[in-house]
Amino acid sequence: MVLTLIDKTGARVLGALDTAGDFATLAGRTFVALFKRPFDGKNLLNQLQAVGVHSLPVVILTSVAVSMVFAVQLAFGFRQFQAEGLASQVEGLAIVRELGPVITGLMLSGRIGSAMAAELGTMQVTEQIDALECLATDPIHYLFVPRFLASVLVVPLLTVISIYVGFWGGYMILVGVEGQSAFVYGNEFYKLLAFRDLRIALYKALVFGMIIALVGCWKGYRTQGGAEGVGNAPTSSVVTSSLWILISDFFLTKLLLV
């Protein structure tokens, strides 16, 4: 009984280490492939369009909705202490430091990471990736690098847009509904913020972009089991990248705020 439990535990630990090593190897090959030539600019432009332009409506709608809900909660909470003026200060702090980068990262992990996993998973089970290798084309350089660069470039830009939209989402509630002065809201929103807060948000978005692209490509590249495997790859990609985004957000916050 005890030996069986030890065997199972050991097998799971070895399996987890093998998975982590496989991901680290592919991530390392991706970073090395960034400096290889020739570079496929057209492929990068297609990925920039897929990751950035097509994700814009989702990011805008999500940011507006979340910032409005947060403003309603803040207005209600601070009203209990007759401190309604603090609502816009806390709204600004929360949107810039946390809601902007985290909501953008989570939404893109669902939209972009899953799409990458499904696309590469389909290529894997239909042996298109094997065909690339037969043609002496490095699949990491051809498939991973454009998606990685597009995510790293676009996620910070979408985070800036998310923060801007979040400002107006809070404006609609605190000024339009709660009756706060527009001049006061504009001043109080930035009162607790410094340039460092925007820099922290962009650092987080950069890391989230790396996670989304690497996990999505990794899950797709390692897809097995035909159509069922292709169906499972996007789900696994979203769950994994979302967990890593939230965990890395905690450590980045602790590290960057020191």
Side-chain angles (χ1 to χ4, degrees):
M1 179 69 179
V2 175
L3 290 176
T4 303
L5 181 62
I6 293 175
D7 284 344
K8 288 183 178 178
T9 305
R12 289 182 180 179
V13 171
L14 289 175
L17 290 175
D18 183 57
T19 302
D22 182 53
F23 175 78
T25 301
L26 286 178
R29 289 177 61 188
T30 303
F31 284 111
V32 172
L34 290 173
F35 305 98
K36 285 185 178 177
R37 295 293 179 273
F39 186 78
D40 191 348
K42 185 179 178 182
N43 196 358
L44 176 61
L45 288 177
N46 290 334
Q47 293 302 321
L48 287 172
Q49 184 180 28
V51 176
V53 178
H54 295 169
S55 300
L56 201 54
V58 175
V59 171
I60 290 174
L61 290 174
T62 308
S63 301
V64 168
V66 172
S67 61
M68 289 176 71
V69 169
F70 199 69
V72 169
Q73 295 282 9
L74 288 175
F76 177 80
F78 282 115
R79 195 181 301 124
Q80 313 301 312
F81 308 100
Q82 298 181 340
E84 293 90 338
L86 295 176
S88 46
Q89 295 182 21
V90 179
E91 175 89 358
L93 198 64
I95 287 175
V96 174
R97 280 190 179 177
E98 289 300 327
L99 295 180
V102 173
I103 293 299
T104 302
L106 292 177
M107 293 308 298
L108 290 183
S109 74
R111 188 185 179 281
I112 299 304
S114 61
M116 291 177 182
E119 188 178 5
L120 269 63
T122 303
M123 294 180 70
Q124 184 63 272
V125 300
T126 56
E127 300 181 349
Q128 293 180 57
I129 293 180
D130 293 337
L132 286 174
E133 293 175 342
C134 289
L135 295 171
T137 301
D138 180 8
I140 303 298
H141 183 248
Y142 183 72
L143 298 174
F144 279 47
V145 169
R147 289 167 175 79
F148 179 80
L149 286 176
S151 298
V152 167
L153 292 173
V154 166
V155 175
L157 292 176
L158 289 177
T159 297
V160 172
I161 294 173
S162 174
I163 292 170
Y164 178 75
V165 172
F167 171 87
W168 290 108
Y171 181 96
M172 283 189 282
I173 295 299
L174 296 177
V175 177
V177 178
E178 299 294 331
Q180 191 176 96
S181 163
F183 178 77
V184 171
Y185 176 81
N187 285 334
E188 296 294 309
F189 187 87
Y190 300 103
K191 191 168 185 178
L192 299 179
L193 296 172
F195 180 73
R196 183 186 70 160
D197 297 307
L198 179 60
R199 193 172 66 237
I200 290 173
L202 295 180
Y203 285 151
K204 288 182 178 181
L206 186 71
V207 174
F208 297 164
M210 292 181 185
I211 291 173
I212 292 166
L214 289 174
V215 172
C217 292
W218 172 55
K219 290 293 183 182
Y221 190 70
R222 293 305 185 201
T223 297
Q224 294 178 338
E228 184 179 356
V230 175
N232 292 332
T235 305
S236 179
S237 169
V238 172
V239 172
T240 305
S241 57
S242 297
L243 283 174
W244 287 12
I245 283 173
L246 294 174
I247 292 170
S248 64
D249 180 50
F250 168 76
F251 287 105
L252 286 171
T253 301
K254 289 288 288 182
L255 179 67
L256 296 173
L257 280 181
V258 173

